[in-house]
Amino acid sequence: MNFEINCQSLFQTLKSIYSVINPNHHISIFTCFILNVKNKMLKIKASDSEISIKTTLKVLSKQKGKAAVPAKLLMDILKHIPEQQLKIKTINFNQIRIISFKGNYDISLLNHELFPKYKKLKRTQVCVLNKKTIRNIIDNTLFAVGNDDLRPVINGVCFEIKKKTGSFVATNNNILAKYSINSINTKAEMKFIIPKKTLLVLKQSFNKTTNIIKIKYNKYNTFFIFTNKVIITSLIKGSFPNYKKILPLYNKNNKIRIAIKELKTSIKRIILFSNQIDKKINFSLSKNKSIIYAENKDSSNKGYEELVCKYFGENLEISFKSNDLIEVLYNLKCEEIEIKLQERYSPALIRPISSLETEKIFRLIVPLS
């Protein structure tokens, strides 16, 4: 391996994929960047065994080669080298040398053959989405992803794509979020569960030039392909919960219409008076007056507010864990929401009143008993 490259260009490229690496991974090869020089291109790979990222850069190359370079050390060195052209070459059989204007820096290598190899995709389903759609999917579902070692199927977002429609669902058992669109450019049908970390890495990997993301899927992995990057992720095995079974029929006309800003600010004030263990806040709803209140019996603190809202239906008392309620209101880009209610212990369905014709958003929250 022997090539020349701009220091900042290399550093910024490595930085854009570094988030996938765990410097404390118990398998050493997953703490490395894999550098592969061939045909005046530098191919770079990084992985944590479940997620891999590949990207490319043009270089001035004199000799092809491959090397597994400790990622943190390489990043730290490049970070402190001023803007300049660098020469990087292998010396001996287990070291690379970075040559700058002022000095040389020798780094010991690992065996790059230990890095996992992915088989070429065969018989894949393909779907194309734009960056805005992917971001909307992530923003409208990721907050509801679970963290349960006993039920790993809830530790990711379920992608279900059928022809031109897509549904994206996440749940942690207390709350559920669903984002649907009917404008997907695909004839494929696919269903898989993407881990939370993959979606975080995906969103962080976008840049100004990113526009179209091609999704390729087989029963083992999903590939996200865009600009000069490829993100490969293992899928969560198992069947996502059948959330449709827990949806109440909502045959009662109990619903609230309220400005989301009004509700959020009321919750932030009333939560101060709740029990710090269960964070319980209560709603007393009627056509004449609707109240939000909380009480901490240990300290005798209590507070209530009258909500500025429209309530339709029967009188109803219902309670929620305030943290869950704040989560389901997170990132709703609307001025007003509707909350549909059935019984005191039935899940409440929250949706924005105004949304695009091509998308549907709803969120579900289980009340406290």
Side-chain angles (χ1 to χ4, degrees), residues 13-23 33 46 71-72 75:
T13 301
L14 295 176
K15 185 179 177 181
S16 73
I17 67 172
Y18 184 65
S19 60
V20 77
I21 288 179
N22 176 5
F33 290 121
K72 187 176 186 306
M75 290 286 289

Side-chain angles (χ1 to χ4, degrees), residues 62-280:
K62 299 178 181 178
Q63 181 184 359
K64 67 179 182 179
K66 187 182 287 189
V69 187
K72 187 176 186 306
L73 178 57
L74 181 57
M75 290 286 289
D76 288 343
I77 292 171
L78 295 175
K79 183 179 179 180
H80 297 289
I81 295 178
E83 172 79 11
Q84 61 184 278
Q85 195 77 355
L86 298 175
K87 292 181 181 179
I88 299 176
K89 64 180 183 179
T90 52
I91 56 173
N92 303 321
F93 65 93
N94 63 347
Q95 284 185 312
I96 62 164
R97 175 170 291 167
I98 300 173
I99 303 170
S100 71
F101 292 157
K102 290 188 175 181
N104 296 346
Y105 314 96
D106 295 348
I107 302 175
S108 296
L109 306 175
L110 276 69
N111 182 1
H112 63 79
E113 295 291 344
L114 298 175
F115 195 82
K117 296 177 176 64
Y118 289 91
K119 295 180 180 179
K120 289 184 177 180
L121 286 170
K122 295 180 180 179
R123 297 180 181 177
T124 58
Q125 300 279 11
V126 180
C127 171
V128 177
L129 298 175
N130 61 42
K131 178 171 66 175
K132 183 179 179 181
T133 298
I134 292 284
R135 280 184 167 165
N136 285 341
I137 292 167
I138 294 171
D139 290 344
N140 281 288
T141 58
L142 207 63
F143 67 91
V145 170
N147 183 20
D148 189 337
D149 292 337
L150 299 178
R151 296 187 70 207
V153 290
I154 69 170
N155 297 343
V157 175
C158 180
F159 280 52
E160 187 172 8
I161 296 168
K162 293 181 179 180
K163 296 183 179 179
K164 293 185 178 182
T165 64
S167 295
F168 311 91
V169 188
T171 182
N172 62 13
N173 292 327
N174 294 324
I175 60 176
L176 180 144
K178 181 181 179 183
Y179 178 75
S180 302
I181 50 178
N182 58 15
S183 58
I184 296 179
N185 179 22
T186 183
K187 295 180 180 179
E189 292 192 11
M190 55 182 81
K191 186 176 182 179
F192 48 83
I193 306 171
I194 298 290
K196 181 176 183 177
K197 183 180 177 181
T198 301
L199 294 172
L200 287 171
V201 170
L202 178 63
K203 188 176 180 181
Q204 292 167 5
S205 300
F206 294 154
N207 56 37
K208 292 180 180 179
T209 62
T210 304
N211 184 20
I212 298 299
I213 296 92
K214 183 181 289 186
I215 302 172
K216 290 189 175 182
Y217 157 75
N218 61 25
K219 62 181 179 179
Y220 303 109
N221 303 107
T222 294
F223 290 59
F224 294 91
I225 304 165
F226 54 99
T227 51
N228 65 335
K229 287 192 181 76
V230 179
I231 295 179
I232 309 164
T233 180
S234 300
L235 302 175
I236 296 176
K237 296 179 181 178
S239 298
F240 195 78
N242 187 354
Y243 61 91
K244 294 176 183 177
K245 284 187 175 181
I246 68 171
L247 289 175
L249 295 175
Y250 298 107
N251 51 18
K252 293 189 177 181
N253 193 31
N254 299 336
K255 61 183 179 183
I256 308 169
R257 287 196 168 192
I258 187 169
I260 192 168
K261 185 177 180 180
E262 162 80 15
L263 182 56
K264 283 181 176 179
T265 53
S266 289
I267 292 170
K268 287 178 181 178
R269 289 188 291 267
I270 294 301
I271 195 176
L272 301 173
F273 298 92
S274 65
N275 184 298
Q276 294 304 300
I277 295 175
D278 61 15
K279 301 279 188 178
K280 181 179 180 180

Side-chain angles (χ1 to χ4, degrees), residues 285-333:
L285 306 170
S286 70
K287 292 180 181 178
N288 297 325
K289 184 190 293 187
S290 294
I291 292 171
I292 179 173
Y293 65 97
E295 181 178 5
N296 187 338
K297 294 181 180 179
D298 295 334
S299 63
S300 299
N301 293 334
K302 57 184 177 181
Y304 85 94
E305 290 186 13
E306 185 173 343
L307 291 171
V308 179
C309 67
K310 292 179 181 179
Y311 177 69
F312 309 88
E314 303 170 357
N315 293 356
L316 183 64
E317 298 278 337
I318 192 165
S319 304
F320 300 101
K321 187 175 181 180
S322 55
N323 290 351
D324 289 344
L325 193 52
I326 290 169
E327 287 286 350
V328 296
L329 296 176
Y330 171 78
N331 209 38
L332 281 173
K333 297 174 182 177

